[in-house]
Amino acid sequence: QQPVQSPQAVILREGEDAVINCSSSKALYSVHWYRQKHGEAPVFLMILLKGGEQKGHDKISASFNEKKQQSSLYLTASQLSYSGTYFCGTEGAQKLVFGQGTRLTINP
Amino acid sequence: DVKVTQSSRYLVKRTGEKVFLECVQDMDHENMFWYRQDPGLGLRLIYFSYDVKMKEKGDIPEGYSVSREKKERFSLILESASTNQTSMYLCASSLPPNQPQHFGDGTRLSIL
């Protein structure tokens, strides 16, 4: 079953913060996050492997709440380069099931 | 850096044609995947393969087949193309189990 991402789209000004949520009706064992810029291939951001794990690099971080079966991606002090569509992927048997994506637009 | 190469960036075919989409990766990854991307629907898995000559159906395999004769190459075949198969097709590869996936640039396929 496809995980559900929210919001579907968000528009920010440069420097503002954003949170993207990914919820699953099934138990989660790991969550992947990817970003796809317009006209380009999706690019891996991070994997969260354990419940409660938090990761981050630069000003992008993520958390994984196993009990709530959800993960959240946090973008702090957003930059123009953060624009794109963000996908979460939840782990199945040797495969991922991706959410429908969240389109993030950062305006100057 | 991992390189995943898809044979065509844009492709136009006619209804009923047999269509081949090719994908090659250069990092000796066991796992390879074919996705279809449509607006508002995200990335939907068509087929994947975890070894040469092995294949598994994804979520939307109807109307498609795949071939993996060599480890580096994974082909998607539309047996008889239909207009509802007009879409962006993305190939990806990864190490098992469920390591980061590396995507190709995609093939935008139009079926007329």
Side-chain angles (χ1 to χ4, degrees):
Chain A
Q1 189 133 6
Q2 192 176 30
V4 176
Q5 290 184 231
S6 62
Q8 290 188 354
V10 59
I11 301 174
L12 299 175
R13 288 195 180 276
E14 201 173 2
E16 292 182 332
D17 301 339
V19 180
I20 300 171
N21 298 305
C22 174
S23 297
S24 174
S25 58
K26 290 185 171 183
L28 292 179
Y29 301 100
S30 73
V31 179
H32 293 218
W33 285 97
Y34 293 77
R35 176 173 63 206
Q36 184 180 31
K37 292 181 179 283
H38 183 69
E40 299 182 10
V43 173
F44 169 76
L45 293 176
M46 63 189 80
I47 296 178
L48 295 103
L49 294 174
K50 292 181 284 190
E53 185 176 23
Q54 292 191 319
K55 273 193 175 179
H57 61 90
D58 291 334
K59 293 177 181 172
I60 300 177
S61 61
S63 64
F64 180 15
N65 189 321
E66 197 175 349
K67 271 190 176 180
K68 292 184 178 180
Q69 295 175 186
Q70 71 179 37
S71 176
S72 296
L73 188 71
Y74 306 94
L75 299 100
T76 306
S78 56
Q79 306 168 16
L80 295 176
S81 62
Y82 289 179
S83 289
T85 300
Y86 289 78
F87 294 98
C88 67
T90 55
E91 181 183 335
Q94 294 273 25
K95 65 177 184 177
L96 294 177
V97 182
F98 285 94
Q100 80 278 21
T102 295
R103 178 175 287 186
L104 177 64
T105 303
I106 311 293
N107 292 321
Chain B
D1 262 1
V2 177
K3 184 75 174 171
V4 179
T5 304
Q6 294 185 230
S7 52
S8 305
R9 201 69 200 269
Y10 301 93
L11 206 54
V12 180
K13 295 291 182 180
R14 295 206 173 274
T15 303
E17 279 192 74
K18 191 168 186 175
V19 181
F20 292 86
L21 302 184
E22 307 286 346
C23 176
V24 177
Q25 51 95 3
D26 66 357
M27 281 303 291
D28 206 34
H29 285 171
E30 280 81 1
N31 293 355
M32 295 189 75
F33 308 86
W34 275 107
Y35 294 94
R36 172 176 170 159
Q37 184 173 24
D38 299 289
L41 297 179
L43 301 166
R44 293 183 293 165
L45 183 64
I46 304 171
Y47 268 96
F48 68 104
S49 169
Y50 52 87
D51 201 354
V52 176
K53 297 192 186 294
M54 303 300 289
K55 60 185 179 184
E56 293 282 342
K57 291 181 180 179
D59 301 313
I60 52 166
E62 297 76 21
Y64 304 94
S65 62
V66 290
S67 172
R68 194 166 180 201
E69 296 295 319
K70 293 185 177 181
K71 191 174 186 179
E72 68 270 19
R73 187 179 296 269
F74 192 34
S75 303
L76 179 69
I77 303 153
L78 285 67
E79 297 290 343
S80 177
S82 63
T83 55
N84 63 10
Q85 292 177 310
T86 291
S87 187
M88 170 68 84
Y89 290 87
L90 288 163
C91 174
S93 73
S94 76
L95 290 168
N98 281 322
Q99 293 303 301
Q101 293 191 12
H102 300 265
F103 286 83
D105 288 333
T107 295
R108 187 165 291 283
L109 176 64
S110 296
I111 308 295
L112 306 178

